[in-house]
Amino acid sequence: MSLLKFIENQETYFKSGDTLPISKRKRLLKNLKKHILINEKKIYKALNDDLRKSNFETFVTEIGILITEIDIVLNKIDKWAKKKRVKSSLLNFPSSDYVLSQPYGKVLIISPWNYPFQLALLPLISAIAAGNTVVLKPSELAPNTSNLIKKFIEEIFDRSHALVVEGGADTATKLLEIRWDYIFFTGSVKIGKIIALAAAKHLTPTTLELGGKSPCIVDDTIDLKLASRRIVWGKFLNAGQTCVAPDLLIVKKNTKDKLVHHLIEEIKKAYGKNPKESEDYPRIVNKINLSRLSKLIQDTKILIGGEYDSETCYFSPTIIDEPRIDSPIMSEEIFGPILLIISYDDENQIEKLISRYEKPLALYVFSTDKKFSERIIRNFIFGGGAINDTIIHAGNPNLPFGGVGHSGIGAYHGKASFDLFSHQKSIVEKGNWIDIKIRYAPYKGKLGIVKKFFKYLS
Ligand code: NAD
């Protein structure tokens, strides 16, 4: 059957109302959870084959997040899908007013390769929970995971309800020619712009989960050993191929040497003297990305690391000291295991540096000076972040996750995801037992009364 026919079938299926019963949504999601748990070992293998991820990382950053999300949906969906009564307006008296969450219809999800299991299935879970049909295109750069996702979805869902289409840019381009009711994209800013253009053609509502350069600020009040441990973890997890990984470390000048010492110590503790031999250190996704990273460190001052091997796609945890402000590594998102150190003397320099960039997806500040961290958090516009830690905000399903401006449009996780994949329909149900006639023409002599009436509306 052609792709277009499958998608036509999804439209018919959606219109039939078969995606709507809450009991069915729950059954399918329970089934997905069961599949994930039964096939845990296959998931570990796929992620290891694609990115050489350790089982620990795969569980914590892929499987665990999905299981938690499904459990939250199963516990809360009855409440989320219910009519939400709101206070009625006196203007409409007598009426009963409510908001109804309604699915959009046919949803297209396009996902990236860096957390290829989680970032494909997390939006699918909520799109299904909200009552939509889904076409999911996982990343071609994590082919083992993409195959496994396809297999799972085919085993659980009728294709008219959820379908996986594998392929790269050509396939995505074909999919974008179709008119969708919602598009959810996770990936780079460059491709995000292509998605936004395609969506604009049909005025399709869209979520864009993108990337950028995320700063991490460290002042001189913090325990540097503790800060280093948390920075090294957030930076070198998945070999730095994390959208919210700290990219620029902006450090108070008087602490720089000490911080660098601790960062190096923490890298050694986590991955040993030779990270290439560590089972816990992943690989770069492919040779193209490895070569991109190797070019970025040319003509830079390397404090640790800088080794790479194009055969095995190994790139060591690397720290670069004070890169030139106009160098390529200071302009593009690194998306690899390279941490930049830039020192500052006063807060104005932080402001000046961060203002050079588009609004980041994440920002972190390490300080025990509450006023300082509060100023940083409030003064900059960014997707989300943490005080005294890195990347952990992405793991709390109660915090909506997303960027702002160039780092993204829209936010998801937990309830925010259910709401994102549902149109919030506002309804006034008017009573007929009385009809207050003041709103009807002719208006002569009514303005004074109406003005008094408006006073009571707020
Ligand atoms: P990418 O933009 O290259 O690819 C993402 C998806 O888009 C893939 O499925 C790919 O096949 C598809 N694609 C490629 N060309 C396309 C085209 N012309 N038209 C339509 N679709 C096309 O991104 P990537 O390399 O897979 O992932 C890395 C980027 O994703 C980084 O910038 C990172 O910051 C970002 N990211 C963001 C988040 C987030 O939650 N905000 C999470 C992970 C990754």
Side-chain angles (χ1 to χ4, degrees):
M1 208 190 291
S2 75
L3 182 60
L4 272 178
K5 187 73 199 147
F6 273 122
I7 290 157
E8 247 177 64
N9 286 353
Q10 285 208 341
E11 195 158 326
T12 313
Y13 191 72
F14 179 75
K15 282 186 181 150
S16 76
D18 274 2
T19 61
L20 295 181
I22 302 286
S23 55
K24 183 171 186 178
R25 305 187 211 178
K26 282 186 183 169
R27 178 169 50 75
L28 288 165
L29 293 177
K30 273 185 198 156
N31 211 347
L32 178 60
K33 176 179 167 182
K34 207 164 104 191
H35 251 72
I36 294 174
L37 292 175
I38 292 173
N39 292 293
E40 195 175 330
K41 286 199 179 122
K42 284 188 190 157
I43 303 168
Y44 289 144
K45 180 164 179 348
L47 269 293
N48 197 277
D49 290 347
D50 285 334
L51 288 152
R52 201 177 166 277
K53 274 198 201 195
S54 64
N55 293 355
F56 182 88
E57 274 199 22
T58 295
F59 187 84
V60 172
T61 63
E62 311 255 3
I63 297 176
I65 289 182
L66 293 174
I67 297 301
T68 310
E69 185 85 354
I70 294 176
D71 285 342
I72 292 174
V73 171
L74 293 176
N75 282 334
K76 296 282 169 68
I77 188 170
D78 293 304
K79 191 172 163 203
W80 294 344
K82 251 191 197 154
K83 275 183 192 175
K84 284 162 220 78
R85 296 242 170 246
V86 298
K87 208 174 138 197
S88 303
S89 165
L90 258 183
L91 268 184
N92 299 330
F93 183 81
S95 78
S96 138
D97 299 10
Y98 57 87
V99 179
L100 199 60
S101 290
Q102 190 173 45
Y104 283 96
K106 303 192 306 281
V107 172
L108 171 67
I109 297 172
I110 298 181
S111 58
W113 51 262
N114 61 329
Y115 292 89
F117 195 62
Q118 188 245 113
L119 291 174
L121 291 179
L122 201 65
L124 178 137
I125 290 168
S126 337
I128 294 293
N132 300 282
T133 63
V134 173
V135 169
L136 164 64
K137 195 208 80 62
S139 172
E140 72 283 14
L141 301 185
N144 296 289
T145 312
S146 171
N147 284 177
L148 200 61
I149 291 172
K150 185 174 169 66
K151 196 166 162 287
F152 283 5
I153 297 303
E154 280 178 0
E155 281 165 3
I156 299 165
F157 290 90
D158 188 305
R159 285 177 197 195
S160 304
H161 198 162
L163 174 73
V164 174
V165 179
E166 290 186 283
D170 288 352
T171 307
T173 305
K174 279 193 194 118
L175 285 168
L176 287 173
E177 281 162 10
I178 294 162
R179 181 172 181 163
W180 299 92
D181 297 304
Y182 203 99
I183 300 177
F184 186 101
F185 171 79
T186 309
S188 61
V189 172
K190 182 178 151 207
I191 306 296
K193 289 181 181 174
I194 296 176
I195 306 287
L197 262 178
K201 213 164 121 190
H202 301 294
L203 289 182
T204 304
T206 308
T207 296
L208 300 175
E209 293 283 341
L210 310 175
K213 273 181 117 53
S214 296
C216 175
I217 300 151
V218 184
D219 79 357
D220 53 2
T221 65
I222 191 80
D223 173 347
L224 292 175
K225 197 171 168 187
L226 179 69
S228 300
R229 197 181 309 139
R230 293 177 180 172
I231 293 167
V232 164
W233 174 74
K235 176 68 204 183
F236 298 109
L237 185 87
N238 201 22
Q241 300 165 111
T242 304
C243 56
V244 284
D247 186 305
L248 308 161
L249 207 53
I250 307 171
V251 186
K252 190 80 190 263
K253 201 170 240 162
N254 57 359
T255 63
K256 190 175 106 175
D257 291 348
K258 260 195 192 158
L259 181 73
V260 168
H261 164 79
H262 286 299
L263 288 169
I264 292 175
E265 284 304 300
E266 291 301 328
I267 290 173
K268 286 182 185 157
K269 266 194 222 160
Y271 305 111
K273 279 202 178 121
N274 184 3
K276 199 173 184 179
E277 286 168 6
S278 166
E279 283 186 359
D280 297 330
Y281 190 67
R283 294 297 180 257
I284 303 306
V285 66
N286 58 21
K287 289 183 181 167
I288 296 173
N289 270 288
L290 188 100
S291 150
R292 180 182 64 81
L293 292 169
S294 65
K295 285 188 189 123
L296 283 181
I297 59 167
Q298 275 172 15
D299 304 323
T300 59
K301 187 176 168 201
I302 296 170
L303 296 174
I304 182 177
E307 300 95 20
Y308 53 87
D309 169 17
S310 44
E311 271 317 298
T312 56
C313 283
Y314 167 75
F315 200 109
S316 64
T318 299
I319 301 180
I320 305 287
D321 191 27
E322 310 279 353
R324 273 194 351 260
I325 205 86
D326 59 348
S327 58
I329 206 165
M330 284 293 279
S331 343
E332 67 178 80
E333 178 185 6
I334 295 176
F335 215 57
I338 307 169
L339 186 61
L340 310 179
I341 311 264
I342 296 129
S343 54
Y344 74 92
D345 278 317
D346 65 69
E347 267 180 70
N348 291 335
Q349 288 171 296
I350 303 179
E351 158 87 43
K352 219 169 138 190
L353 181 62
I354 295 181
S355 306
R356 288 174 56 90
Y357 299 100
E358 296 291 349
K359 299 177 186 90
L361 181 58
L363 185 147
Y364 310 104
V365 54
F366 283 83
S367 174
T368 55
D369 177 348
K370 285 200 181 306
K371 284 190 180 148
F372 174 72
S373 6
E374 178 90 9
R375 270 200 305 281
I376 296 286
I377 294 295
R378 283 186 184 276
N379 287 354
F380 295 105
I381 300 176
F382 55 96
I387 298 170
N388 298 333
D389 213 332
T390 59
I391 80 172
I392 51 167
H393 62 296
N396 178 357
N398 300 314
L399 289 172
F401 178 83
V404 52
H406 271 231
S407 55
I409 300 173
Y412 75 133
H413 290 187
K415 181 171 186 299
S417 292
F418 183 88
D419 291 344
L420 182 117
F421 283 110
S422 312
H423 165 60
Q424 308 297 319
K425 192 184 254 180
S426 295
I427 301 293
V428 172
E429 190 175 338
K430 185 85 179 178
N432 296 331
W433 57 274
I434 188 171
D435 194 29
I436 298 171
K437 300 203 173 56
I438 192 153
R439 67 173 150 146
Y440 302 122
Y443 302 128
K444 198 167 177 213
K446 291 180 177 174
L447 187 58
I449 306 168
V450 158
K451 277 185 178 172
K452 277 187 195 146
F453 199 60
F454 264 79
K455 271 191 187 163
Y456 295 101
L457 290 180
S458 51

